[in-house]
């Protein structure tokens, strides 16, 4: 806890540091110079005026910077045992990559010969037609490995677990004492989802005629887009984005404006793909072939997926997020200089839904990158963040144990731990499981609330919805069968009823 | 301003924690949830505290007591409470704040923390979920000592300036150069160039964890 002025000056220093050299910085500077010539601005009181404006306009929402004595690794993840677990997971993935490279004799990275470069340039837009032999490459890990290898072993060494059976005892797989929100707290945080507020994605409204709500709501959405107000777009997204406006609203929330320099940046990355060949490219090919190309919704976007993911694997801006991610990028030393690559395997299904929104590769790319470095990285790194996969798993289990204890107990008795079924949904933020329109409605709320908690709530709500059938099953396989097809579910009614109509 | 970033902490002795024990120390293992940590300054020394910083380890609340001496009367040192039950964790039963760094500033204290000879931390952890709790890396920072330095008298010193150029012109031209370098430095961009290959030698065969 620091005193107010210290905190403020540290915050300002941080913001300035991050702005420097960005396009926004020069824009602000130009705007500020113009403003100075306006008569109503007095130089003498400028500092105070700005300070007061920030205070009243809610500029204080910026989270306080980290304590000056805290080392960088503390900023990534404050809990030492979480850092350790993440590090050992990374070591595993890395070892697997390295050994694949030596076993197959494929270098992790190499320069493409000129002929190959030319060939790739020509077929950039139809990479999907290529059918390279990938049988030698095995995926580095699957969600199941992540669940089985790391999470059950995650323990706080200072946590007293001697009194196993008591009121506090937890039936689930996650045994980490993280603070996750229960239903009363979720109701407060997600107040806009309550039963009396109009929602896109819910057809029947008790009070207002649906057409009336939707017409007016679309009008407001248009205004938000016109104003180019990022904060308003985020607030708006909490009740859902209309299909026609979603692309613009999301880009606004994520501040990805697709300026000429963004297009240029994308072209630069494309050149990177053409010049160099990475081992992970093969894994990306394999992933896309195994998932999206077989998917009824996404197979049409196969070529887009390659373009975006291959560029993503070469984007050094992505490395920035490792400052606040509990993961650490692997390094390799070449002649004293450093080359760095992203090797965390990205699940292609997370890009695929975005293809419905953006038809320009550079725009699609920048939105995907923002989504990844803000949200999706949390789904495959071990951390104590409330949006991290560990917290989401715990939240899911707590919600189920508290509100559907009979169901939880039954599933546990037949050795069908609910998390074993729900984990794959959450790790992909439901992408590939829901129908696309429903998935986008869910992601509207992720962006709107700047949190992945709705993912855990939906997972619990799906169990609640199928509770009757699940009570009848007698094995993990049959429980999985009951929950195999989620493509007919309507997400918003499920979330709303679970949050606001569950008895507490 | 925060001092911990650039100044040195005061040298002091952090004594081992003493847990409050209920009943017989050998047979009774009930945890009281209270622990005392004493920090003493070298004998005869006292400090004017600006800030105390530490890393938490599962302490839910901290109370700070100070042993202050009254200037002039060595014997009349007295204990006073400077801060009562400052919450260090969001919820004593869960992780939030459990391993965070934090600071207690002069302004937060209820008494003026001057002429302090010893600091006592009373730590509380009402939750039985944790095996142990403590404070780590306790550091005490002193208030700036400018008032002490002002007592020193400056010695007038005039070296032999024969044959040297006019100091005022030299200094003004140096100032100009310095200003130029400052401008250069402040305008440095932090935007990355966005490339990471090194002229052709991009054959990577092994990745390592840093």
């Amino acid at each position: 806890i620091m005193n107010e002025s210290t905190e403020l000056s540290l915050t300002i220093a941080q913001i300035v540091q991050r702005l420097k050299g960005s396009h926004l910085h020069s824009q602000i500077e130009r705007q500020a110079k113009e403003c100075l010539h306006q008569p109503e601005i007095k130089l003498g009181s400028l500092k105070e005026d700005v300070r007061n404006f920030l205070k009243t306009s809610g500029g204080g929402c910026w989270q306080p910077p980290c304590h000056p004595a805290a080392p960088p690794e503390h900023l990534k993840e404050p809990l030492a045992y979480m850092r350790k677990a993440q590090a050992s997971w990374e070591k595993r993935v890395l070892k697997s990559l390295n050994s694949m490279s030596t076993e197959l004799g494929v270098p992790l990275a190499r320069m493409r010969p000129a002929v190959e470069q030319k060939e790739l340039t020509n077929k950039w837009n139809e990479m999907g037609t290529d059918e390279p032999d990938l049988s030698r490459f095995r995926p580095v890990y699957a969600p199941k490995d992540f669940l089985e290898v790391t999470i059950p072993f995650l323990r706080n060494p200072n946590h007293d677990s001697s009194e196993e059976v008591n009121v506090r005892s937890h039936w689930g797989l996650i045994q980490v004492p993280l603070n996750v929100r229960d239903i009363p707290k979720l109701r407060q945080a997600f107040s806009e989802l309550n039963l009396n507020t109009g929602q896109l994605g819910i057809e029947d409204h008790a009070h207002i005629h649906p057409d009336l709500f939707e017409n007016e709501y679309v009008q407001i959405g248009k205004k938000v887009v016109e104003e180019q107000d990022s904060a308003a777009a985020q607030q708006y997204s909490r009740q859902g984005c209309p299909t026609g406006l979603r692309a613009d609203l999301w880009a606004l929330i994520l501040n990805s404006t697709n300026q000429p320099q963004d297009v240029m940046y994308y072209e630069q990355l494309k050149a990177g793909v053409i010049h160099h060949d990475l081992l992970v490219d093969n894994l990306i090919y394999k992933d896309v072939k195994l998932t999206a190309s077989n998917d009824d919704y996404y197979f049409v976007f196969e070529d887009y997926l390659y373009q975006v993911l291959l560029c993503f694997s070469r984007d050094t801006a992505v490395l920035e997020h490792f400052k606040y991610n509990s993961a650490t990028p692997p390094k390799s030393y070449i002649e004293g200089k450093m080359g760095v690559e992203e090797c965390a395997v990205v699940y292609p299904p997370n890009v695929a839904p975005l293809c419905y929104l953006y038809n320009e590769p550079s725009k699609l790319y920048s939105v995907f990158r923002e989504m990844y470095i803000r949200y999706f990285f949390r789904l495959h790194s071990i951390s104590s963040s409330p949006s991290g996969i560990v917290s989401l798993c715990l939240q899911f289990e707590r919600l189920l144990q508290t509100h559907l204890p009979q169901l939880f107990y039954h599933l546990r008795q037949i050795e069908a731990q609910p998390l074993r079924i729900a984990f794959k949904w959450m790790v992909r933020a439901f992408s590939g499981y829901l129908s696309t329109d429903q998935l986008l409605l869910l992601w509207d709320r992720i962006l709107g609330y700047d949190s992945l908690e709705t993912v855990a709530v939906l997972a619990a709500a799906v169990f609640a919805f199928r509770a009757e059938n699940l009570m009848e099953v007698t094995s993990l396989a049959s429980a999985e069968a009951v929950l195999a097809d989620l493509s007919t579910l309507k997400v918003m009614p499920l979330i709303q009823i679970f949050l606001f109509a569950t008895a507490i | 301003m925060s001092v911990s970033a650039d100044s040195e902490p005061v040298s002091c002795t952090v004594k081992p924690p003493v847990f409050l024990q209920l009943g017989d120390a050998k047979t009774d293992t009930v945890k009281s949830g209270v622990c005392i940590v004493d920090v003493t300054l070298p004998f005869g020394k006292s400090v004017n505290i600006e800030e105390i910083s530490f890393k938490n380890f599962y302490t839910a609340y901290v109370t700070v007591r100070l042993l202050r001496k009254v200037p002039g009367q060595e014997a009349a040192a007295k204990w006073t409470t400077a801060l009562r039950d400052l919450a260090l964790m969001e919820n004593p039963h869960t992780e939030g704040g459990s391993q965070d760094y934090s600071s207690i500033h002069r302004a937060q204290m209820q008494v003026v923390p001057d002429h302090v000879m010893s600091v006592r931390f009373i730590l509380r952890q009402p939750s039985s979920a944790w095996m142990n709790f403590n404070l780590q890396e306790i550091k005490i920072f002193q208030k700036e000592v400018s008032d002490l330095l002002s007592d020193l008298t400056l010695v007038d010193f005039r070296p032999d300036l024969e044959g040297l150029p006019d100091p005022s012109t030299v200094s003004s031209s140096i100032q100009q150069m310095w200003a130029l370098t400052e401008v250069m430095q402040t305008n440095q961009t932090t935007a990355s160039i966005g490339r990471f290959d090194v002229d052709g030698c991009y054959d990577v065969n092994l990745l390592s964890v840093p």
Side-chain angles (χ1 to χ4, degrees):
Chain A
I1 300 131
M2 280 172 280
N3 59 23
E4 209 178 314
S5 65
T6 316
E7 213 165 277
L8 192 69
S9 54
L10 263 174
T11 307
I12 292 173
Q14 265 188 353
I15 296 174
V16 170
Q17 182 66 27
R18 285 192 63 177
L19 278 177
K20 255 191 184 169
S22 69
H23 179 63
L24 189 62
H25 184 253
S26 52
Q27 273 180 323
I28 292 173
E29 214 171 52
R30 207 177 312 136
Q31 193 73 36
K33 269 180 197 153
E34 276 167 33
C35 283
L36 279 183
H37 300 298
Q38 285 170 14
E40 67 268 23
I41 288 170
K42 293 177 198 72
L43 271 183
S45 62
L46 187 65
K47 200 172 164 187
E48 266 313 300
D49 290 345
V50 170
R51 197 171 280 181
N52 286 336
F53 171 77
L54 283 178
K55 252 185 205 159
T56 48
S57 68
C61 310
W62 180 270
Q63 70 184 64
C66 169
H67 192 273
E73 73 262 21
H74 193 268
L75 184 69
K76 288 155 103 35
E77 167 55 51
L79 303 179
Y81 67 95
M82 288 271 183
R83 285 201 296 267
K84 225 172 123 191
Q86 172 66 27
S88 75
W89 169 246
E90 275 164 30
K91 235 185 223 163
R92 237 184 119 90
V93 172
L94 219 55
K95 207 177 139 199
S96 165
L97 261 183
N98 280 332
S99 67
M100 197 185 323
S101 166
T102 29
E103 254 174 58
L104 303 178
V106 180
L108 288 162
R110 68 178 177 99
M111 189 92 174
R112 285 186 212 274
V115 191
E116 211 182 306
Q117 288 189 19
K118 211 171 156 199
E119 205 180 323
L120 187 62
T121 318
N122 291 335
K123 62 168 195 203
W124 181 254
N125 288 319
E126 45 196 71
M127 279 190 273
T129 55
D130 215 21
E131 296 272 350
D133 175 28
L134 297 169
S135 54
R136 298 187 304 155
F137 293 94
R138 52 178 192 273
V140 180
Y141 70 91
K144 216 174 125 225
D145 303 333
F146 192 50
L147 175 66
E148 277 167 13
V149 176
T150 62
I151 287 170
F153 302 103
L154 205 54
R155 287 278 189 282
N156 179 344
N158 192 39
H159 194 241
D160 188 355
S161 47
S162 56
E163 26 177 1
E164 267 318 346
V165 195
N166 65 11
V167 207
R168 278 195 289 123
S169 70
H170 184 56
W171 300 344
L173 296 172
I174 308 289
Q175 297 290 344
V176 188
L178 292 172
N179 198 10
V180 290
R181 290 197 253 213
D182 53 10
I183 287 200
K185 289 210 182 101
L186 285 168
R187 281 186 189 172
Q188 268 176 10
F190 295 87
S191 59
E192 290 88 347
L193 300 183
N194 74 37
L195 299 170
N196 298 320
T197 310
Q199 296 290 332
L200 287 190
I202 294 180
E203 264 107 59
D204 52 329
H205 301 287
H207 306 294
I208 320 161
H209 188 265
D211 291 338
L212 209 66
F213 162 73
E214 227 171 287
N215 284 341
E216 201 189 305
Y217 192 68
V218 171
Q219 288 311 312
I220 300 172
K222 280 183 185 154
K223 240 184 232 166
V224 171
V225 173
E226 258 167 48
E227 293 283 322
Q228 287 289 298
D229 185 336
S230 179
Q234 188 161 26
Q235 178 65 36
Y236 183 84
S237 183
R238 295 180 171 194
Q239 285 166 265
C241 297
T243 314
L245 299 172
R246 185 174 279 126
D248 290 334
L249 287 166
W250 281 18
L252 202 52
I253 298 172
L254 296 166
N255 291 323
S256 61
T257 42
N258 204 32
Q259 299 281 326
Q261 63 269 33
D262 298 325
V263 180
M264 209 165 80
Y265 188 71
Y266 176 76
E267 289 299 321
Q268 227 177 42
L269 292 173
K270 185 173 154 184
V273 178
I274 289 167
H275 291 154
H276 301 291
D277 185 21
L278 304 183
L279 176 100
V280 285
D281 294 356
N282 295 302
L283 299 173
I284 291 170
Y285 268 118
K286 183 146 188 157
D287 258 0
V288 174
K289 287 272 180 228
L290 285 178
T291 53
S293 344
N294 294 329
D295 192 296
D296 295 345
Y297 298 116
Y298 302 134
F299 73 96
V300 280
F301 301 121
E302 195 183 335
D303 297 324
Y304 270 169
L305 293 179
Y306 291 126
Q307 292 174 16
V308 167
L309 288 172
L310 293 179
C311 286
F312 184 74
S313 67
R314 284 149 179 90
D315 191 345
T316 50
V318 176
L319 294 169
E320 278 284 301
H321 96 282
F322 286 113
K323 281 184 195 152
Y324 52 89
N325 181 352
S326 60
T328 309
K331 290 179 178 151
S332 71
Y333 294 89
I334 342 156
E335 293 174 12
K337 296 205 186 175
M338 209 170 58
V340 197
E341 292 168 38
E342 160 87 39
C343 89
V345 179
V346 189
Y347 299 110
N350 280 352
V351 200
L354 299 175
C355 298
Y356 277 98
L357 300 182
Y358 304 98
N359 51 18
E360 218 171 307
S362 68
K363 191 152 192 183
L364 170 67
Y365 179 74
S366 66
V367 168
F368 165 69
R369 190 181 74 191
E370 278 304 312
M371 292 279 275
Y372 182 82
I373 62 177
R374 287 192 195 200
Y375 305 108
F376 296 145
F377 77 91
R378 298 203 186 277
L379 295 175
H380 37 250
S381 41
I382 299 167
S383 76
S384 60
S385 154
S387 283
I389 189 69
V390 183
S391 294
L392 295 182
C393 290
L394 182 65
Q395 192 164 32
F396 161 76
E397 291 189 332
R398 284 271 165 85
L399 288 172
L400 220 54
Q401 185 177 340
T402 313
H403 301 284
L404 298 154
Q406 281 175 320
L407 176 64
F408 202 136
Y409 189 77
H410 170 69
L411 291 173
R412 199 171 168 244
Q413 287 305 98
I414 61 166
E415 284 173 21
Q417 270 285 351
L419 186 59
R420 292 205 189 284
I421 300 167
F423 188 77
K424 56 183 180 297
W425 305 337
M426 292 195 283
V427 101
R428 292 182 174 171
F430 280 95
S431 162
Y433 295 99
L434 298 170
S435 65
T436 310
D437 60 322
Q438 294 300 310
L439 182 73
L440 295 174
L441 286 168
L442 175 70
W443 287 11
D444 281 344
R445 274 70 182 190
I446 294 180
L447 290 169
Y449 289 102
D450 195 25
S451 158
L452 287 161
E453 281 164 291
T454 37
V455 171
V457 173
L458 178 61
V462 170
F463 273 73
F465 185 60
R466 296 260 191 258
E468 251 175 73
N469 306 39
L470 286 170
M471 284 304 283
E472 319 238 307
V473 302
T474 51
S475 70
L476 175 63
S478 45
E480 268 173 343
V482 168
L483 296 166
D485 184 14
L486 308 185
S487 62
T488 55
L489 295 182
K490 299 268 178 249
V491 295
M492 288 324 295
L494 282 181
I495 292 178
Q496 196 176 45
I497 289 167
F498 190 80
L499 278 185
F500 291 94
T502 304
I504 49 168
Chain B
M1 263 312 286
S2 170
V3 288
S4 55
D6 36 58
S7 66
E8 282 289 308
V10 179
S11 76
C12 52
T13 322
V14 180
K15 294 195 175 157
V18 179
F19 285 85
L20 183 67
Q21 193 76 40
L22 299 175
D24 183 36
K26 291 245 164 60
T27 54
D28 226 338
T29 52
V30 175
K31 287 181 267 186
S32 68
V34 181
C35 170
I36 311 282
V37 177
D38 274 342
V39 179
T40 53
L41 289 152
F43 184 74
K45 220 186 143 205
S46 70
V47 284
N48 300 342
I49 297 174
E50 174 68 35
E51 180 187 328
I52 302 170
S53 83
F54 50 84
K55 180 176 189 278
N56 187 21
F57 188 77
Y58 296 92
T59 301
Y61 306 99
V62 65
T63 295
V64 181
R65 307 232 321 140
L66 304 173
L67 181 65
R68 296 181 303 163
K69 67 179 172 192
V70 186
Q73 297 168 265
E74 280 310 307
K78 263 171 78 181
W79 281 104
T80 43
T81 303
L83 189 65
R84 193 181 292 278
D85 286 340
L86 175 74
L88 299 177
M89 288 168 73
E90 291 157 35
N91 174 343
H93 300 292
T94 56
E95 294 279 7
S98 62
Q99 299 187 23
D100 279 359
Y101 286 82
S102 47
S103 292
I104 298 170
H105 283 264
R106 195 179 170 83
Q108 278 172 279
M109 303 197 198
Q110 286 153 13
V111 295
V112 182
D114 283 348
H115 313 292
V116 175
M117 299 160 73
S118 183
V119 183
R120 170 168 292 174
F121 297 93
I122 302 169
L123 318 179
R124 288 171 212 272
Q125 180 45 273
S127 170
S128 61
W130 317 107
M131 320 257 258
N132 206 349
F133 63 95
N134 202 345
L135 291 185
Q136 300 166 343
E137 301 174 36
I138 298 173
K139 285 175 193 151
I140 296 174
F141 294 92
Q142 232 177 126
K143 221 180 146 220
E144 273 178 30
V145 286
S146 53
D147 46 349
L148 289 176
L149 286 177
S150 61
D151 298 344
L152 300 173
T153 43
L154 289 167
V155 182
D156 217 11
F157 177 66
R158 271 181 201 286
D160 185 17
L161 295 174
E162 202 65 40
L164 291 173
D166 177 31
S168 60
T169 33
V170 172
S171 91
S172 73
S173 66
I174 286 177
Q175 259 182 27
Q176 213 166 11
M177 276 165 67
W178 173 81
L180 270 175
T181 59
E182 280 298 292
V183 169
M184 295 276 289
Q185 264 181 8
T186 50
N187 283 347
Q188 247 171 26
T189 170
T190 53
S192 78
I193 305 167
R195 279 193 312 234
F196 51 95
D197 57 330
V198 189
D199 43 58
C201 54
Y202 192 59
D203 287 348
V204 184
N205 290 310
L206 194 69
L207 290 172
S208 61
V209 189

